[in-house]
Amino acid sequence: MKLSVSVYLILCVASSIIMVMATVQRARFLLGTNDYYVRVINGFTDNSSVPLVIWCSSEEMDLGGRALQEHDDFSWVMRPSFWSSNRMKCTMKWDSTRKSFEAFKASRDTERCGIHRTCSWMVTQDGFYFSNDEVNWRKDFLW
């Protein structure tokens, strides 16, 4: 008898926690306070003959691929939630060079994307640069 009461109480507490989390997530979605704007820019100076190819996906969705000419960009909105992986991985291909990276990772980017929630990447011949204002760029890694 005591065991069934304990199990019942545990289930009640667990379901209450899940309902609160779902309510908070729904409120964030409705208020639009949880959107992050992610943008990947082709910053190559001379790749007119060979485009920069990008393909982005997460566990929940596949954004597909694009061929970016000079200064073209690929952008999307991320809405981190308790229910999703909160990551978007992109694979870049330029000529015969290929590199995969996490274009958005909530645990890393919620603070670093700044108050405007802008997470921009510029891909150039010498590496991948990050900015939260598209003015000040910091190199994150090489090809």
Side-chain angles (χ1 to χ4, degrees):
M1 180 70 170
K2 288 183 180 183
L3 179 63
S4 62
V5 171
S6 296
V7 169
Y8 176 75
L9 289 174
I10 290 170
L11 289 174
C12 286
V13 169
S15 63
S16 295
I17 290 170
I18 290 171
M19 287 181 0
V20 167
M21 290 170 39
T23 302
V24 168
Q25 185 60 40
R26 181 74 176 150
R28 284 183 177 170
F29 175 75
L30 291 174
L31 298 173
T33 59
N34 212 24
D35 290 355
Y36 287 82
Y37 304 95
V38 185
R39 183 176 182 215
V40 180
I41 304 163
N42 178 350
F44 280 75
T45 54
D46 185 22
N47 74 320
S48 55
S49 62
V50 179
L52 179 65
V53 177
I54 180 172
W55 190 284
C56 299
S57 63
S58 69
E59 291 178 11
E60 295 79 28
M61 71 178 113
D62 187 341
L63 299 178
R66 307 279 192 288
L68 305 178
Q69 297 298 328
E70 286 180 44
H71 310 296
D72 282 351
D73 69 282
F74 183 34
S75 58
W76 63 92
V77 174
M78 290 293 297
R79 288 187 183 96
S81 76
F82 175 77
W83 310 108
S84 70
S85 67
N86 300 314
R87 297 173 182 221
M88 183 65 67
K89 184 177 180 179
C90 295
T91 299
M92 310 295 293
K93 183 178 178 290
W94 175 59
D95 203 14
S96 62
T97 307
R98 186 180 297 253
K99 176 81 171 183
S100 292
F101 75 106
E102 289 182 321
F104 184 82
K105 181 179 177 183
S107 62
R108 175 194 68 196
D109 294 333
T110 51
E111 293 297 321
R112 125 172 144 153
C113 291
I115 60 171
H116 299 294
R117 297 178 182 227
T118 301
C119 315
S120 298
W121 293 93
M122 183 174 303
V123 182
T124 68
Q125 291 94 325
D126 69 325
F128 292 66
Y129 293 79
F130 179 84
S131 175
N132 62 13
D133 61 8
E134 296 192 2
V135 174
N136 302 299
W137 296 92
R138 186 189 84 237
K139 186 187 280 189
D140 257 26
F141 50 90
L142 302 171
W143 273 95

